[in-house]
Amino acid sequence: MAGKASGARGKRPQRPGAPRLSAEAQSGEPALSLERIVAAAVELLDAEGVDGLTMRKLADRVGAGAMSLYWHVDNKEAVFDLALDSVLEYREPPQAGESQDWRGEVLHMLEDWRASMLRHPWSAALLPRRALGPNILLRLELLGRTLSRAGVADADLNVALWSLWNHVMGATITRASFERSDDDLAAAQQRLTGLSERYPTIERSRLLLDNDWDGTFRDGLDFLLDGLAPKR
Amino acid sequence: MAGKASGARGKRPQRPGAPRLSAEAQSGEPALSLERIVAAAVELLDAEGVDGLTMRKLADRVGAGAMSLYWHVDNKEAVFDLALDSVLEYREPPQAGESQDWRGEVLHMLEDWRASMLRHPWSAALLPRRALGPNILLRLELLGRTLSRAGVADADLNVALWSLWNHVMGATITRASFERSDDDLAAAQQRLTGLSERYPTIERSRLLLDNDWDGTFRDGLDFLLDGLAPKR
DNA sequence: ACCTGAACACCGTTCAAGT
DNA sequence: ACCTGAACACCGTTCAAGT
């Protein structure tokens, strides 16, 4: 029911000897391509959410016949995989790895990560169902390198990476689920407020009612980094 | 597209004056009820996963005509909400709140939480799309009380609760997505291993390859609690 | 090599109707 | 009050066929 890494270009065969003039070279319109499909899928997901992505609507948006997608893509699952990973692409800043402010670097990486996902709220809902794509793995790799340079022992790297990843995931998912629409947010707050007699501590903590998500995310991260920092 | 708190008993009207003999009182078979529907939904989700839950299959399993569910339940979203919250029920241990081992209490609560979700792997995939049900809120409330008794200031309670919640969510989701089936797990590990040249740090950390999920979860929690513990 | 429409086996949900 | 089947407007995907 899940798992395959790429899932893309299922039957894409080896290129022919000479790539001779394609439709793309003749008209301005680029031919149907995996890239265009993925880009359109992201647009569609941004506009209509996870349930709004339909193979037929996607084909429509890309100006192709309903079933043309299946030559480029195995199935709908693959579309989700590709859209998710494409949204998590990471461009490493040029001076990375040179400063000795490892904590600042980690903070930057994780905030960029979180921002990428919040820009596409459907990504949080999708992630738990999909495999780790190459862009996610790259982010983890770079994060691990920074921690390693900061002096985290190899034996602690697993826990460290995993805890930070969990923090980003959890924070993004929680926020995304409170942000689907203003109506929902208002309703949720209303609900939480109304429940104060039954949940006095939650009420007192103003859990999720203060809207300073960024601050809370960063504060939690600070706690984690305090614990993770190599003891000297 | 989401958000309503209960979503249940949409049109359940006020009870009639006298509950007179129902089918349930006459035969041994209990009549169709919200409870039976939710229980069957959990069974179905356990057996076939999120995509396996179909209103028709659910009705079948409960021995009812295909469309009878809609009298008890608003729609399929409500079924998901109810199934998710029912799986997260928490029975507080009797001596709770009396020991002064707050750290042990927090650990117990969070491990129980995580275990409940891992027992029903679909719950992790579902959670980011659903609202906070009463059982989740209760768990957060009890967690908050314990932290409060331990000396965490009200001003820090929000970050503390949220960070711990994020840790449980993230850890559960990551693990569930690696556990869907043994095939997938093997495939994922195969993939990670094969990628060692491109991701040397990940390889070195043996990220997600060591199968000591419980230990890693607990270690990460320890880091967090170290940071969260009231400074004295 | 690439794209297509018709067709199949499903969905969730509405509605008028039964008891 | 509670349950039902027929019907509607969709789905994802296969397949034989086009160029």
Side-chain angles (χ1 to χ4, degrees):
Chain A
M1 184 164 291
K4 277 181 55 201
S6 75
R9 66 336 59 153
K11 17 192 135 64
R12 200 67 136 314
Q14 50 275 44
R15 326 196 136 283
R20 91 240 129 67
L21 286 192
S22 62
E24 157 182 18
Q26 290 165 12
S27 70
E29 281 293 288
L32 192 50
S33 71
L34 194 57
E35 290 72 27
R36 279 188 63 220
I37 292 176
V38 174
V42 171
E43 282 174 33
L44 195 49
L45 285 164
D46 284 346
E48 308 195 25
V50 175
D51 293 334
L53 178 59
T54 277
M55 293 303 268
R56 295 180 215 244
K57 271 195 270 186
L58 181 55
D60 227 53
R61 183 177 276 258
V62 106
M67 299 297 99
S68 309
L69 303 177
Y70 283 91
W71 194 85
H72 299 268
V73 140
D74 273 358
N75 49 33
K76 196 183 178 181
E77 302 249 294
V79 175
F80 279 136
D81 282 343
L82 293 165
L84 181 58
D85 202 63
S86 94
V87 142
L88 290 175
E89 196 182 335
Y90 182 61
R91 309 149 286 315
E92 200 176 2
Q95 81 294 14
E98 294 173 12
S99 93
Q100 58 274 73
D101 174 22
W102 70 271
R103 202 159 165 140
E105 262 182 59
V106 168
L107 234 76
H108 172 266
M109 292 172 98
L110 296 184
E111 275 177 354
D112 177 274
W113 193 342
R114 177 163 167 271
S116 296
M117 297 194 68
L118 289 180
R119 232 175 280 128
H120 307 277
W122 47 270
S123 63
L126 226 45
L127 197 98
R129 313 218 270 172
R130 316 291 355 150
L132 274 58
N135 281 325
I136 295 184
L137 285 175
L138 178 59
R139 289 183 108 110
L140 286 169
E141 169 69 18
L142 295 174
L143 185 59
R145 269 182 221 166
T146 304
L147 291 174
S148 217
R149 266 195 305 114
V152 174
D154 278 10
D156 295 336
L157 219 45
N158 195 343
V159 203
L161 281 175
W162 207 49
S163 295
L164 292 172
W165 150 280
N166 286 343
H167 191 72
V168 176
M169 288 308 101
T172 309
I173 283 171
T174 305
R175 164 143 191 201
S177 74
F178 265 80
E179 230 201 6
R180 270 181 289 253
S181 80
D182 287 341
D183 289 79
D184 285 341
L185 179 60
Q189 293 187 333
Q190 176 70 29
R191 194 153 27 92
L192 281 179
T193 305
L195 263 37
S196 45
E197 340 61 87
R198 250 194 299 167
Y199 306 107
T201 314
I202 290 185
E203 170 70 11
R204 217 167 62 240
S205 77
R206 299 199 48 74
L207 183 71
L208 304 175
L209 287 179
D210 291 328
N211 279 335
D212 184 17
W213 299 92
D214 298 335
T216 312
F217 174 74
R218 184 185 275 255
D219 289 348
L221 207 48
D222 274 334
F223 287 140
L224 254 180
L225 292 175
D226 286 345
L228 294 175
K231 323 288 186 274
R232 89 198 69 195
Chain B
M1 186 166 288
K4 276 183 56 200
S6 75
R9 58 352 49 150
K11 18 190 134 66
R12 200 68 135 316
Q14 48 277 44
R15 325 193 139 283
R20 92 239 127 67
L21 287 192
S22 63
E24 155 183 20
Q26 290 164 13
S27 70
E29 282 293 288
L32 191 50
S33 71
L34 194 56
E35 289 73 30
R36 279 189 62 220
I37 293 176
V38 174
V42 171
E43 283 175 32
L44 195 50
L45 285 163
D46 285 346
E48 309 196 26
V50 175
D51 293 335
L53 177 58
T54 276
M55 292 304 267
R56 295 179 216 244
K57 272 196 268 185
L58 181 55
D60 228 53
R61 184 177 275 256
V62 105
M67 298 296 99
S68 309
L69 303 177
Y70 283 91
W71 194 85
H72 299 269
V73 140
D74 273 359
N75 48 34
K76 196 183 180 182
E77 302 249 294
V79 175
F80 279 135
D81 282 343
L82 293 164
L84 180 58
D85 202 63
S86 95
V87 143
L88 291 175
E89 195 181 336
Y90 182 63
R91 310 149 283 317
E92 199 175 4
Q95 81 293 14
E98 293 173 12
S99 93
Q100 58 274 74
D101 175 21
W102 68 271
R103 201 158 165 141
E105 262 181 58
V106 167
L107 234 76
H108 173 265
M109 291 172 98
L110 296 184
E111 275 177 353
D112 176 274
W113 194 341
R114 176 162 167 272
S116 296
M117 297 194 69
L118 289 180
R119 232 174 280 128
H120 307 278
W122 47 270
S123 64
L126 225 46
L127 196 99
R129 313 219 271 171
R130 316 294 350 153
L132 274 57
N135 281 326
I136 295 183
L137 285 175
L138 178 60
R139 288 181 111 110
L140 286 170
E141 169 69 20
L142 294 174
L143 186 58
R145 270 182 220 165
T146 304
L147 292 174
S148 216
R149 265 194 307 114
V152 173
D154 279 9
D156 294 336
L157 219 43
N158 195 344
V159 202
L161 282 174
W162 207 48
S163 295
L164 292 172
W165 152 279
N166 286 343
H167 190 72
V168 176
M169 289 308 101
T172 309
I173 283 171
T174 305
R175 164 142 192 203
S177 75
F178 265 78
E179 230 202 6
R180 270 181 288 252
S181 82
D182 287 341
D183 289 78
D184 286 341
L185 179 60
Q189 293 187 334
Q190 177 70 30
R191 192 152 28 92
L192 281 179
T193 305
L195 263 36
S196 46
E197 343 56 271
R198 249 193 300 167
Y199 307 106
T201 314
I202 290 184
E203 170 70 11
R204 217 166 64 240
S205 77
R206 300 198 48 73
L207 183 70
L208 305 175
L209 286 178
D210 292 328
N211 278 336
D212 184 16
W213 298 92
D214 298 334
T216 311
F217 173 73
R218 186 187 274 257
D219 289 348
L221 207 48
D222 274 335
F223 287 141
L224 253 182
L225 292 176
D226 285 346
L228 293 176
K231 323 288 187 275
R232 89 198 68 192

